[in-house]
Amino acid sequence: MTMTLTDRPDVFTRPAGAEPRGEPAAVIAKRKQDQTRNRVLLAILAFVLVYGIISTRLIMLGLTDPSDDVARGSAASAVATARPDIVDRNGEILATDIRTASLFAEPNKIVDPDEATELITSVLQDLDATALRKKLSTKAGFVWVKREITPTQQAQIHDLGIPGVGFLTENKRFYPGGPAAAHIVGLVNIDNQGIAGLERTVDERGLSDLHNAGFAMKTNSQQPVQLSIDLRVQHVLRDELVGAMQKYQSAAAMGVMINAKTGEVVALASLPDFDPNDPVDANKPDRLNRLTAGSYELGSVFKSFTFAMALDSGKVKMTDSFDARSPIRVGRQAIHDSHPQARFLTVPEVFQYSSNIGTAKMAMVIGSETQQEYIRRFGLMTKLKTELPEVATPQIPKRWSDVTTMTVAFGHGIAVTPMQAAMADCALVNGGYLFPPTFFPRTRENALAQATRVVSQKTSDEMRWLFRFNGVKGSGRHADVPGYVVGGKTGTAEKVANGRYVEGHYLNSFLAVFPMDDPQYVLMISVDDPRPEKPGMPALAAWNAAYVAGNVVRRSAAFLGVQPRTADESNPDAMLVSY
């Protein structure tokens, strides 16, 4: 009988996983340890492999020029940047975004840089061919070729079919009125970021933060920014200033109209100006906003402040008189009158004839300390606070002697911005309230909440009387407009060059207020270095700046809703009551 191996009682088949019978425990333990070690080594190898791949990729990215990604990121930001419309108080658009194409290239996809350069410059002939060829010969992934091209140029380049060249649609700022409100609205740079005027103010008030955070991507998602400006009055003001520069051959001209009851700026223009749609001249020194960014000696316009402080202090009364028979001698110099009357003058007559002698003596009555206190109170010693970023600091005398007190009284030796003077004069006629100016809508209640009382109601009434008196019988009569009860004060100030007064060269100004029975608007007009309109005619403020102011009032009063008065304008009206 044959027996198989499995039939033997000492041989059997071991179940899977069973340990060999009789194998030492130490051998079994070592085997398990080896298996565990192998698993750990395998896991470590897997981690090393994964992180090796990641590290290799990071090193490759680190060795790659990041300009492509940066350029694309910058392009995306430029494309995303949108701005809200800027509108006037009536909703007329002053600034808006339009969509425009910009040309870019991917040099690493351009087959023949020389051919691409030749084709592109055949359309965009203002491009530097050498610089463009160098730009297209790199291995960059993205470069700008030209920002903001015309639709015609875009179509022509598209038809050329140049590989590696494309277009991105961007936001471009457009100003429908051109230079009409250039110094108010300001302008933006190539990336649609505000760099001047209220465009810059809008950015500083949070628009740039919204862009950086990824918001405000579309123009139609943003509420328009409404200004206090009336575009109709703005056009009138600028048109009259343009005409004045031509008529009087002046170097410059400026004007601002302010709501006397709220401090809102209704119109502002400074010439020469620029077109923000093509701002090639914007940075020229003669294109600054003279109303806020320039400080000037305003001459006799400053006398209104001397009269106000004298009357408000109680040291001078409307019935007082001052000896103007002879000039005031100060060392080797003399203070004299342009239109000497050579007699005692009443307070209204000092204003009417713009007597330097009488005004200087008035200032000496109130004293240097009181004078400085009121000038500070009128906001004329500190930098004007306004929404426009371009603001000049007043030039104040370092030493305040008796001579300084007398000369400052009639506007010599102290330089302020015309806007400051206009705001202070608003306070003299609106009941005594000094407002900070604003280019945004403001209610009367809101204005009063921000106001500072600088003179009494009685003083304000007396100043209104003086302004109207001068508008009827004094140097302001050329600005009077029948029915609109205009009052004001002229100022003819010698210009200063290299620290010296230049004879025959003047900054002529007229401060106008209307209607004087209920002052609603203050208008400041200045004509820089005008020539006589005709040979033999004077070149003083009464003969140019006053005429310009009258024309502005005549053309804009109806837009402003000022109803004409029916009083007989050939005689002093109800404003001229006796004090």
Side-chain angles (χ1 to χ4, degrees), residues 18 44 87 129 150 195 211 253 275 296 350 373 382 419 471 484 490 531:
I44 292 174
V87 300
T150 67
I195 58 174
H211 285 149
D275 186 349
Y296 308 90
V350 173
E373 176 193 344
T382 55
M419 176 74 88
Y484 291 106
T490 53
R531 300 295 93 193

Side-chain angles (χ1 to χ4, degrees), residues 312-378:
D312 197 65
S313 67
K315 297 180 179 180
V316 173
K317 297 181 177 59
M318 291 284 280
T319 54
D320 290 344
S321 298
F322 292 89
D323 186 356
R325 290 177 295 178
S326 58
I328 302 174
R329 300 290 175 182
V330 182
R332 292 181 296 177
Q333 298 180 338
I335 296 174
H336 55 82
D337 288 342
S338 298
H339 309 285
Q341 302 300 304
R343 60 181 176 83
F344 277 82
L345 299 176
T346 64
V347 167
E349 287 175 331
V350 173
F351 200 82
Q352 175 188 7
Y353 297 114
S354 198
S355 170
N356 292 339
I357 299 170
T359 306
K361 291 186 175 182
M362 189 181 301
M364 292 303 294
V365 169
I366 64 177
S368 172
E369 291 186 3
T370 300
Q371 182 187 50
Q372 293 179 65
E373 176 193 344
Y374 272 94
I375 292 175
R376 187 175 293 106
R377 186 185 299 182
F378 293 148

Side-chain angles (χ1 to χ4, degrees), residues 190-214:
I190 192 71
D191 290 317
N192 228 26
Q193 298 167 337
I195 58 174
L198 294 178
E199 291 278 32
R200 179 177 169 183
T201 301
V202 169
D203 277 22
E204 291 175 347
R205 289 190 169 190
L207 180 61
S208 59
D209 293 335
L210 288 176
H211 285 149
N212 293 335

Side-chain angles (χ1 to χ4, degrees), residues 16 30 54 64 105 142 160 232 312 376 475 493 560:
K30 186 176 185 304
I54 295 174
T64 302
F142 179 93
L160 293 174
R232 301 168 301 179
D312 197 65
R376 187 175 293 106
S475 59
L560 298 169

Side-chain angles (χ1 to χ4, degrees), residues 10-278:
D10 58 336
V11 178
F12 61 92
T13 302
R14 185 173 62 244
E19 298 296 337
R21 180 176 295 179
E23 191 171 18
V27 175
I28 297 173
K30 186 176 185 304
R31 184 184 300 113
K32 291 183 177 180
Q33 186 178 9
D34 291 341
Q35 291 175 347
T36 302
R37 184 183 298 111
N38 291 337
R39 293 191 186 99
V40 172
L41 289 175
L42 185 60
I44 292 174
L45 181 61
F47 277 108
V48 169
L49 182 61
V50 171
Y51 282 101
I53 294 173
I54 295 174
S55 300
T56 302
R57 181 58 180 162
L58 290 175
I59 292 171
M60 292 175 62
L61 291 175
L63 295 176
T64 302
D65 186 355
S67 58
D68 298 352
D69 293 331
V70 173
R72 286 185 181 277
S74 299
S77 297
V79 172
T81 300
R83 306 182 65 80
D85 287 349
I86 298 179
V87 300
D88 82 336
R89 66 186 309 113
N90 301 309
E92 296 294 328
I93 295 179
L94 300 173
T96 189
D97 275 359
I98 59 175
R99 305 293 281 175
T100 184
S102 288
L103 178 64
F104 73 89
E106 298 173 292
N108 57 5
K109 296 181 181 179
I110 291 179
V111 178
D112 188 342
D114 292 330
E115 181 186 18
T117 299
E118 184 178 350
L119 291 173
I120 292 172
T121 54
S122 69
V123 177
L124 304 177
Q125 298 179 6
D126 58 328
L127 290 181
D128 185 327
T130 302
L132 178 60
R133 184 177 294 105
K134 182 178 180 181
K135 187 184 293 186
L136 299 183
S137 298
T138 67
K139 296 299 181 182
F142 179 93
V143 293
W144 284 118
V145 175
K146 186 175 182 181
R147 309 282 291 274
E148 298 178 357
I149 63 175
T150 67
T152 300
Q153 291 171 334
Q154 181 184 9
Q156 291 174 341
I157 294 174
H158 179 269
D159 291 342
L160 293 174
I162 309 171
V165 171
F167 306 93
L168 285 174
T169 302
E170 297 193 85
N171 295 294
K172 179 182 179 181
R173 206 61 166 162
F174 176 63
Y175 303 90
H183 284 110
I184 301 171
V185 179
L187 69 161
V188 299
N189 62 16
I190 192 71
D191 290 317
N192 228 26
Q193 298 167 337
I195 58 174
L198 294 178
E199 291 278 32
R200 179 177 169 183
T201 301
V202 169
D203 277 22
E204 291 175 347
R205 289 190 169 190
L207 180 61
S208 59
D209 293 335
L210 288 176
H211 285 149
N212 293 335
F215 299 101
M217 298 301 188
K218 298 180 180 179
T219 303
N220 57 15
S221 68
Q222 303 173 63
Q223 289 297 319
V225 176
Q226 187 175 40
L227 306 185
S228 58
I229 303 302
D230 189 316
L231 189 56
R232 301 168 301 179
V233 180
Q234 180 70 25
H235 279 299
V236 168
L237 176 61
R238 185 178 183 277
D239 183 60
E240 288 296 333
L241 293 177
V242 169
M245 288 187 65
Q246 296 171 350
K247 186 175 184 178
Y248 306 115
Q249 304 174 52
S250 64
M254 59 187 129
V256 60
M257 184 181 290
I258 302 165
N259 186 319
K261 295 181 181 293
T262 63
E264 296 169 289
V265 179
V266 178
L268 179 150
S270 176
L271 301 178
D273 52 16
F274 59 91
D275 186 349
N277 293 310
D278 185 24

